[in-house]
Amino acid sequence: MTESSVHPALWPAPHASGPVDATVTVPGSKSVTNRALVLAALSAEPGWLRRPLRSRDTLLMAQALRAMGVGIEETVSSSSAAAPGSPDLTGEAWRVIPAGLHGPVTVDVGNAGTVMRFLPPVATLADGPVRFDGDPRSYERPLHGVIDALRALGARIEDGGRGSLPLTVHGAGALEGGPVRIDASASSQFVSALLLSAPRFNQGVEVRHVGSALPSMPHIRMTVEMLRAVGAQVDEPETGGEPDVWRVSPSALLGRDLTIEPDLSNAQPFLAAALVTGGRVTVRDWPERTTQPGDALRELFTAMGGSCELTPQGLTFTGSGRIHGIDADLSEVGELTPGIAAVAALADSPSTLSGVAHLRLHETDRLAALTKEINELGGDVTETADGLHIRPRPLRGGVFRTYDDHRMATAGAIIGLAVPGVEIENVGTTAKTLPDFPDMWTGMLGAGA
């Protein structure tokens, strides 16, 4: 069944008739799942990923690794031996069986930043050429940081001088590695991409960022922690190393049994529903400690008018019935910007969101898209050099376009809770990271609205 047949071109965003009161289970983290897949594929022994996210981006990653020779077996567990109060581990699990990487193959990256950036370094370790191609928008997303760095480390890559897709990595079965200087100000994924494969490089790698401030630092910290969890030695600025320098030593990686955390960024629209409707939403299995940027929602949404409580069952967020504007530097949590902008458009005072100029290079130009779509519903949003200024205005119904961007779709759904008549164009794009979003959304409202 095609995506368009499941979700019509225009999806009427449900309007909340009262405060929501619901408990939701958010699927696994895309960021963790795709990093875990790469590390497991490069390990010296098989490993398990339990409760992985099954979405377009993660299936593209799994498909690409399989094409290069990695075994990924999917199983479903129907029972759990978990102790009372601990997470239920029933459900899907992937067994990853490392193997010699090979070409020639063609990899479809879709429009997944993690796939298009994390896999070219992996492809340098393959025996043979690996061609990368993807959606039309993927051609516009920058890859120069990864391409230039790999060339400096000894790789042969053909990209027609574009610094973007499509491209071919001519794998030689190994990469020398060593020190490299890159400008990763366009995407922290440039750094993560090199670090993830570095233990398999002959000399490891020393990545030195030489550009302006790095965005999305929590994602780099996530990469470092996951590398260490599989036995890699990583020196980083956070632990006393040089500023903006990461060193990974060459080593074998261990196969692990990893349970994927819920995707906290994908929990955003559900927490926003509590804030917008003055209701209460519990997100199950919220981790007590995490490197996921989405954990910042606890602080951000509390500042905008709610309160939260973290318990062994999950995070319960309660709206106060009022939404306040916020001045926030979102440079470390840029992926949260669309949802925060949607809530800010419904607030009782203006908001300024800064530090997110790099969002112009994401799935779409998110700053331009948010400005245009909110303003077409009657809003007053202006772009700044590195963000948005949002002045709340009474909004009206209308079409909210997504530009094939999953976070635009969920932002429109948030606005639709408070504004009757909002229609989301191509809500099916949420399948990129949050399968079944429309059913989860209507189910949440059915629980208490």
Side-chain angles (χ1 to χ4, degrees), residues 130-149:
V130 181
R131 175 176 167 80
F132 292 87
D133 208 339
D135 297 352
R137 170 62 181 172
S138 71
Y139 291 15
E140 302 172 21
R141 301 185 68 182
L143 284 176
H144 55 84
V146 174
I147 294 169
D148 294 348

Side-chain angles (χ1 to χ4, degrees), residues 325-341:
I326 191 173
D327 288 349
D329 179 349
L330 301 179
S331 57
E332 293 208 343
V333 293
E335 65 196 47
L336 304 180
T337 303
I340 293 172

Side-chain angles (χ1 to χ4, degrees), residues 357-378:
H358 60 286
L359 295 190
R360 295 186 170 100
L361 302 172
H362 275 221
E363 281 82 346
T364 187
D365 178 342
R366 284 179 170 164
L367 300 185
L370 287 164
T371 300
K372 182 175 187 296
E373 297 311 310
I374 294 174
N375 286 353
E376 290 200 354
L377 299 183

Side-chain angles (χ1 to χ4, degrees), residues 76 98 119 133:
V76 177
L119 287 188
D133 208 339

Side-chain angles (χ1 to χ4, degrees), residues 11-18 20 276-277 413-422 441-442 445 449:
W11 180 66
H15 180 248
S17 58
V20 300
V276 168
T277 68
I414 291 168
I415 292 173
L417 290 173
V419 181
V422 173
W441 197 246
T442 54
L445 291 170

